Amino acid sequence: MRSFVYNIAFDCADTFALARFWSQVTGQPIAECDHEEAVIELPGGLNLFFQRVPEPKNGKNRMHVCLRPEQAREAEVDRLLGLGATLVADHREPDGTGWAVLGDPEGNEFCVLRETIGRGSA
């Protein structure tokens, strides 16, 4: 017997604003949205689920999303910063390895790895 991951949940103050950000990140539309909850259905059956909570984010995430972009990582980092992300930590190396840690508009950290094409390692 086993379980499969159905969704990744984000606690947030503004469900629509955060879902809109992640919709732009993933290129997928918001499937459901009201004042309390929003859902983005990703290809392959995984969902991003946003739920309104009263308390603010406090401290570092213990679990996070890692993105592997189709385009060059640097171009994707620039695009995400333009959407409202912030750079939290930069672990990119001169040889192209490494990753960038960004924060979404509510401070949830996520990583941007090397692009899909031409990658050897993270």
Side-chain angles (χ1 to χ4, degrees):
M1 192 176 285
R2 63 183 179 161
S3 295
F4 67 96
V5 177
Y6 177 70
N7 68 31
I8 299 172
F10 293 78
D11 289 351
C12 53
D14 186 335
T15 55
F16 179 72
L18 198 58
R20 183 179 59 225
F21 171 82
W22 282 99
S23 174
Q24 293 174 313
V25 169
T26 62
Q28 298 299 313
I30 299 170
E32 302 171 32
C33 186
D34 62 31
H35 184 66
E36 298 295 320
E37 298 178 349
V39 176
I40 297 172
E41 298 171 343
L42 301 176
L46 182 65
N47 297 310
L48 299 182
F49 175 74
F50 305 88
Q51 59 189 356
R52 187 173 166 272
V53 297
E55 65 276 357
K57 179 182 178 297
N58 188 9
K60 182 181 181 293
N61 293 5
R62 295 294 302 238
M63 187 171 86
H64 63 268
V65 175
C66 291
L67 304 176
R68 179 145 341 251
E70 294 176 332
Q71 65 177 334
R73 180 186 51 218
E74 283 62 35
E76 182 66 355
V77 167
D78 289 343
R79 182 180 82 87
L80 298 172
L81 292 172
L83 293 176
T86 56
L87 183 64
V88 174
D90 195 341
H91 299 284
R92 294 174 283 185
E93 299 295 334
D95 67 358
T97 60
W99 63 95
V101 180
L102 302 181
D104 72 16
E106 292 210 14
N108 300 299
E109 293 96 0
F110 62 97
C111 293
V112 181
L113 308 175
R114 286 179 73 177
E115 60 274 10
T116 304
I117 297 173
R119 76 181 201 287
S121 60

